[in-house]
Amino acid sequence: MSAPAVVRELEAALGADAVIWAPEDLLVYEYDATIDRGSPQAIAFPSSAEDVVAILGVARAHGLPVTPRGGGTGLSGGALAARGGVIIAMNRMRRILELDPGARTALVEPGVVNLDLGNEAARHGLAYAPDPSSQRACTIGGNIAENAGGPHTLALGTTTNHVLAVEFVDPTGEVHWLGGPTRDAPGYDLVGCVVGSEGTLGIVTKALVRLVPAPEAVKTFLGIYDSVRQASSAVGAIVKAGIVPAALEMIDRMTIAAVEPVLKAGFPLDADAILLVEVDGPALQVEAEGEIVEDVLRQYDPREIRTATEPKDREVLWAGRKGAISALGHIKPNYYLLDGVVPRTRLPEVLDTVYRVAAAYELPVANMFHAGDGNLHPCLLFDEREPGVTERVLEAGEEIMRACVDAGGAISGEHGIGLEKRSYLPWIFSEDDLGAMQQLRSAFGADDDFNPCKIFPGGHGCGEGHGGHQQKQIAKFGADVAI
Amino acid sequence: MRGRSAGAIADYRIGGRDPRYVARPASVEAVQGLLREISAAGDAVIVQGGRTSIVTGNPAARYDVALDMTALDAVIAHEPDDFTVTVQAGMRFDVLQASLAKHGQFLPLDPARASATTIGGVIARGRGGLRRGAFGGVRDWLIGSTAVLSDGRAVHGGGRVVKNVSGYDLPKLFAGSWGTLGCIVEASFKLRPLPAYDATLRIPAPDFATAVRIGSEVAQGIAGLQAVIALDAATATAAGLEGEAVLLIRSAGMAPVVAETMAATRAVARASTATDSISDPALWERLADLTAPDAESVLVRLGLPPPAVGLMSEAASEAMPEASRMAVLDGGLLFLRANRVEATAVQALRATATEQGGALTVESGLPPGLDAWGEAGGLPIMRRVKAEFDPTGTMSPGRFVAGLEG
């Protein structure tokens, strides 16, 4: 088969080894970690901003849509070529260009894997704070697109708090430097607009990120409780005590049932909640805060409390939380992972609704969530071979998202709206709100062919259907790709 | 509504110009109606709260209407257990802070003249204050906002939850937009618990350069501090302190932790144990107020990578030898105040600051012909943003970067 013209032109611009177009090679780029999929015509791998400009030019000349992509671990369909066209895969731009320990910044290319940056920072006694569970596979560019969080962003904030400046190709092919080494760059906070825009305003080709001093000490607590309410009350009391822990995480009974056979950690199968609390900072502070945390945990009548300070021991405590997603496969082969966020105090009642909705649709549900910031991740478990079950899952998911909104929350805490949840956006924003957002998109120069069908409802040729396979991502990247 | 409870026209003078009229709306709907009317008439408006930074910016291209926001001053919702608050933009900062303090909480921004400035003003400036090294700026605490555009549309972004990726982050666009994109009417913030103990270590230094050098070592060497500030003699006097130069180091948290941090700080600073540690919130208010622009003097603000503060401070003593100086060593700020300044001196300092990765703004006393802000990266996009949000050029035309008009 001879290459189509668009491929020949891309190859001429980037080199033959920087373009993929054979149908069997394209398969892996048809999905991310959601249950949607899209079929691109070609994948182009730029090595520089200039390459990105060239790709945009070729795609535009052929009237083809473009979609940027990082590690492909996204959980809202953001990296899918919803209307086909060219995927701009940033994976080959993976150099850490500079790391300045004095200024505590790093200049990186967008394809750098999150954990690789973290490891490099650690050699200088520093850390890159956002730590999504997919950090072994997800990229800084993807993190910027989704404003990625992670278990440890409770105290330090999400990606938007850690990106200072970006080299950025706008959809018209202009290259800009936005922001600066400090937060004092004159003019509008365009970096603040780009982070979390899900790759719909342009393509980041370099990023200057903040690093933070690695904590002197870390202590992790695991509390096992008879009820989610008890555990939630403990969370409230910790926060009320004036402590801002590094992490505050919870898993529920179904998740415990899934992880215990794998971990054999001795978690009681009839307990409703396991709470993880981590404090970090100067050793004395960790000791003092740790005492308060342990006192509070004991006040709410736990079955058991475990603690750890050494990295190896702390990992054991975290295993149930971080390995939760992969373990779900022991209950049902498929799952649909939701990402809702509510005011923290509303978590228990929203969780009750989650259980009620799941029961009404006859679906098992496992919950794991960032309890400190009200970000919940219900996983609806199913077997896609069962006729009609996918529709039931999607309907239940929609009802759960609606409950989050009714509780004063939002429809994504860290996974983004993407392709998956755009029809829900009008639940939280008026026509005028969405109109202003679309105007911002126009101001950046994005048209219908730049990363189409993401975030906003409607759109030419976008459709609203679901269908695809989250599990392949799990198989490829491992278990904790998904939270 | 028009003019009612608003002061005399002359109270709204900006750069020697009076508005044709003053409006003081008492509801979001009133703001919408007014802006619709103003833009349809082809008039230009400057939104105002406590007017604490009204002297900052390039001269307005046009100024017809003063929009006084101080009547919109209610707390809409404070959820202490969720650590969030939603307020109207005209609320005074110190009033909000006092109401949060009753619940053991605070919003960790330190605007100058907190007893006059409004929430809307704080957001429009978008800045952190003396503790920005520890707490960042407005963008790090603002979780939702509503702004009225010049065509009267009220647009909302973000929400009332502390973590959110739902739609574009409009609050970040409005934070630091200096009133040029729309009129901020409502905002939601996340909050922090007030620390149990808040202490300030005061270390005398023989001169400002020494204070800056020691402060930089402390800022680099001690984790978890809230502010490291160097004052020269003139600034120290203005703050009610004595000495040729003073280093102030703030630490907050649990008492034993603060005590240990202060001990470690003394060691790094090679300061004697005789150096006193005090708890003095009023001192920090005075210090914040010293960062306020005023019509009578020149105030130059440099935002810098912290390691560059020492070098810039030396450059400043050559370019503006008469100026009094205050430096924030952990947060990367340098304030210079003088009676007058030559445009060439500012340009030279700005060039050096830009080279160092920082930025210089002239907060007050802008020499004629000079831009208050300096060159903006992404200006073509900013122009298009301004044109989309304010196509009639109604909102503070000419005052922001590159004289953006719409």
Side-chain angles (χ1 to χ4, degrees):
Chain A
M1 186 165 100
S2 72
V6 62
V7 169
R8 289 199 306 274
E9 286 169 38
L10 287 171
E11 287 180 342
L14 310 176
D17 65 341
V19 186
I20 284 178
W21 61 282
E24 62 274 22
D25 294 334
L26 294 178
L27 277 178
V28 74
Y29 295 92
E30 283 192 353
Y31 37 81
D32 60 1
T34 48
I35 57 181
D36 292 297
R37 78 160 60 190
S39 303
Q41 272 102 49
I43 317 299
F45 295 89
S47 298
S48 64
E50 292 67 34
D51 282 357
V52 172
V53 173
I55 297 165
L56 290 175
V58 171
R60 182 172 307 276
H62 288 270
L64 288 175
V66 297
T67 304
R69 181 181 175 100
T73 60
L75 287 154
S76 56
L80 300 184
R83 273 180 31 223
V86 179
I87 281 185
I88 306 181
M90 307 306 288
N91 315 70
R92 292 191 191 169
M93 294 180 69
R94 53 167 178 243
R95 289 176 299 169
I96 296 173
L97 299 169
E98 272 171 44
L99 197 153
D100 183 341
R104 291 178 189 153
T105 57
L107 181 66
V108 302
E109 292 184 325
V112 168
V113 168
N114 177 294
L115 189 61
D116 291 343
L117 175 58
N119 289 339
E120 187 59 28
R123 294 175 32 173
H124 301 273
L126 299 168
Y128 180 63
D131 63 339
S133 295
S134 56
Q135 67 181 163
R136 282 186 288 135
C138 67
T139 63
I140 298 300
N143 292 171
I144 290 172
E146 301 302 326
N147 187 16
H152 285 95
T153 49
L154 178 60
L156 294 171
T158 53
T159 301
T160 191
N161 304 107
H162 300 276
V163 177
L164 293 167
V166 293
E167 182 190 70
F168 176 81
V169 183
D170 78 22
T172 70
E174 291 287 317
V175 184
H176 311 268
W177 263 104
L178 309 179
T182 74
R183 293 284 188 211
D184 305 290
Y188 302 131
D189 184 2
L190 298 182
V191 174
C193 297
V194 167
V195 180
S197 66
E198 308 194 35
T200 63
L201 296 180
I203 296 177
V204 169
T205 46
K206 286 191 186 97
L208 182 71
V209 301
R210 281 175 64 210
L211 302 174
V212 295
E216 190 189 350
V218 185
K219 190 163 187 180
T220 308
F221 298 82
L222 182 149
I224 302 172
Y225 289 90
D226 280 334
S227 74
V228 169
R229 268 182 199 275
Q230 272 170 278
S232 298
S233 301
V235 169
I238 288 168
V239 173
K240 247 201 157 106
I243 292 174
V244 184
L248 254 178
E249 300 285 308
M250 211 189 297
I251 58 175
D252 74 347
R253 179 193 287 241
M254 180 70 80
T255 313
I256 297 169
V259 297
E260 177 54 23
V262 184
L263 295 179
K264 300 191 173 42
F267 294 152
L269 295 176
D270 60 341
D272 259 357
I274 291 180
L275 182 62
L276 269 169
V277 188
E278 193 157 279
V279 290
D280 68 16
L284 193 69
Q285 180 185 325
V286 168
E287 198 183 310
E289 289 189 346
E291 275 172 30
I292 296 175
V293 167
E294 193 160 346
D295 276 355
V296 170
L297 290 179
R298 290 209 186 284
Q299 277 164 32
Y300 292 87
D301 204 13
R303 294 226 190 149
E304 188 186 337
I305 290 177
R306 302 178 190 179
T307 63
T309 51
E310 294 307 310
K312 194 162 50 62
D313 304 331
R314 291 193 295 105
E315 257 172 50
V316 172
L317 297 192
W318 272 99
R321 172 68 178 83
K322 292 203 164 178
I325 288 282
S326 63
L328 295 177
H330 296 274
I331 298 176
K332 290 274 182 182
N334 305 84
Y335 65 83
Y336 183 47
L337 172 60
L338 299 164
D339 170 39
V341 53
V342 296
R344 191 184 47 74
T345 51
R346 308 289 296 271
L347 262 179
E349 69 176 83
V350 172
L351 222 49
D352 285 345
T353 307
V354 169
Y355 291 125
R356 206 174 53 239
V357 170
Y361 284 90
E362 295 175 13
L363 294 165
V365 62
N367 282 284
M368 54 213 72
F369 44 97
H370 310 298
D373 43 26
N375 189 189
L376 63 159
H377 292 309
C379 283
L380 297 166
L381 309 179
F382 64 104
D383 183 341
E384 64 179 355
R385 292 165 299 188
E386 190 187 315
V389 72
T390 307
E391 289 68 27
R392 242 164 59 221
V393 166
L394 293 172
E395 276 172 41
E398 182 168 329
E399 226 169 279
I400 289 169
M401 295 319 297
R402 179 66 87 172
C404 291
V405 171
D406 289 347
I411 56 178
S412 174
E414 56 187 1
H415 296 172
I417 304 303
L419 199 54
E420 183 194 68
K421 287 191 281 195
R422 60 206 190 94
S423 59
Y424 309 160
L425 209 56
W427 295 354
I428 49 175
F429 292 119
S430 71
E431 217 168 283
D432 283 348
D433 302 339
L434 293 174
M437 291 179 193
Q438 292 274 23
Q439 283 181 282
L440 182 62
R441 180 162 148 87
S442 298
F444 272 81
D447 62 13
D448 279 350
D449 282 340
F450 188 81
N451 203 354
C453 310
K454 307 292 163 59
I455 303 181
F456 301 103
H460 170 70
C462 291
E464 299 290 338
H466 286 275
H469 306 274
Q470 200 164 27
Q471 276 59 39
K472 289 180 186 166
Q473 280 300 308
I474 307 294
K476 185 169 165 219
F477 292 118
D480 47 4
V481 69
I483 333 173
Chain B
M1 202 65 54
R2 183 165 303 172
R4 192 194 336 149
S5 308
I9 290 277
D11 293 342
Y12 297 88
R13 186 168 294 168
I14 297 173
R17 288 156 74 177
D18 290 340
R20 267 203 342 271
Y21 67 91
V22 177
R24 190 166 177 265
S27 69
V28 173
E29 293 70 27
V31 176
Q32 293 181 273
L34 279 162
L35 283 177
R36 217 175 283 129
E37 208 174 290
I38 291 165
S39 60
D43 286 340
V45 66
I46 297 182
V47 180
Q48 308 175 33
R51 289 176 52 91
T52 61
S53 296
I54 209 75
V55 294
T56 304
N58 293 321
R62 293 170 287 124
Y63 178 30
D64 303 297
V65 186
L67 196 59
D68 181 333
M69 296 299 290
T70 53
L72 279 163
D73 62 351
V75 171
I76 295 165
H78 177 206
E79 305 292 345
D81 291 346
D82 289 324
F83 282 77
T84 60
V85 69
T86 301
V87 292
Q88 289 185 319
M91 175 162 226
R92 255 172 45 195
F93 189 84
D94 66 334
V95 173
L96 172 63
Q97 205 72 299
S99 102
L100 298 175
K102 286 183 199 147
H103 300 270
Q105 302 180 345
F106 76 120
L107 178 56
L109 303 168
D110 306 297
R113 298 179 60 199
S115 59
T117 198
T118 59
I119 295 300
V122 169
I123 297 170
R125 287 189 296 270
R127 288 171 169 169
L130 300 179
R131 285 180 289 179
R132 79 171 194 167
F135 293 119
V138 170
R139 75 193 299 290
D140 300 301
W141 298 94
L142 183 66
I143 54 175
S145 68
T146 306
V148 177
L149 305 185
S150 55
D151 63 7
R153 279 181 295 161
V155 302
H156 168 71
R160 294 184 186 180
V161 285
V162 300
K163 195 173 176 190
N164 198 347
V165 200
S166 311
Y168 292 149
D169 198 341
L170 295 181
K172 290 217 173 39
L173 183 63
F174 285 98
S177 64
W178 288 82
T180 62
L181 291 180
C183 175
I184 298 153
V185 289
E186 247 181 64
S188 297
F189 294 93
K190 56 180 177 177
L191 305 169
R192 287 279 294 200
L194 274 170
Y197 192 67
D198 190 335
T200 300
L201 193 65
R202 194 162 53 178
I203 301 175
D207 53 58
F208 185 67
T210 309
V212 167
R213 184 176 50 73
I214 297 172
S216 298
E217 286 170 27
V218 169
Q220 194 67 37
I222 307 288
L225 292 173
Q226 302 224 316
V228 181
I229 316 268
L231 313 175
D232 69 358
T235 314
T237 306
L241 302 170
E242 285 170 11
E244 283 309 301
V246 181
L247 190 59
L248 295 168
I249 296 153
R250 188 170 183 180
S251 172
M254 292 193 277
V257 181
V258 172
E260 193 191 65
T261 304
M262 287 310 200
T265 302
R266 280 195 180 98
V268 170
R270 292 173 294 281
S272 70
T273 46
T275 314
D276 54 338
S277 176
I278 49 172
S279 180
D280 186 357
L283 169 64
W284 287 93
E285 273 170 42
R286 291 199 300 277
L287 290 170
D289 289 353
L290 290 173
T291 66
D294 65 60
E296 279 72 49
S297 65
V298 175
L299 180 67
V300 169
R301 175 190 189 271
L302 292 130
L304 300 160
V309 176
L311 183 148
M312 278 314 301
S313 161
E314 278 169 38
S317 59
E318 281 171 32
M320 295 177 66
E322 308 293 309
S324 62
R325 288 166 288 173
M326 165 162 29
V328 181
L329 285 325
D330 58 337
L333 287 170
L334 182 63
F335 293 94
L336 309 168
R337 194 184 291 274
N339 290 323
R340 56 183 301 283
V341 69
E342 296 295 331
T344 50
V346 175
Q347 279 161 333
L349 269 181
R350 176 173 280 160
T352 313
T354 308
E355 231 167 74
Q356 295 294 317
L360 180 152
T361 49
V362 182
E363 306 277 295
S364 60
L366 183 68
L370 199 68
D371 183 278
W373 309 100
E375 206 177 311
L379 189 60
I381 299 174
M382 291 179 194
R383 285 191 198 286
R384 297 198 298 257
V385 171
K386 173 71 173 169
E388 286 283 347
F389 281 71
D390 180 28
T392 47
T394 305
M395 313 298 302
S396 288
R399 299 206 83 199
F400 201 32
V401 285
L404 284 174
E405 287 212 35

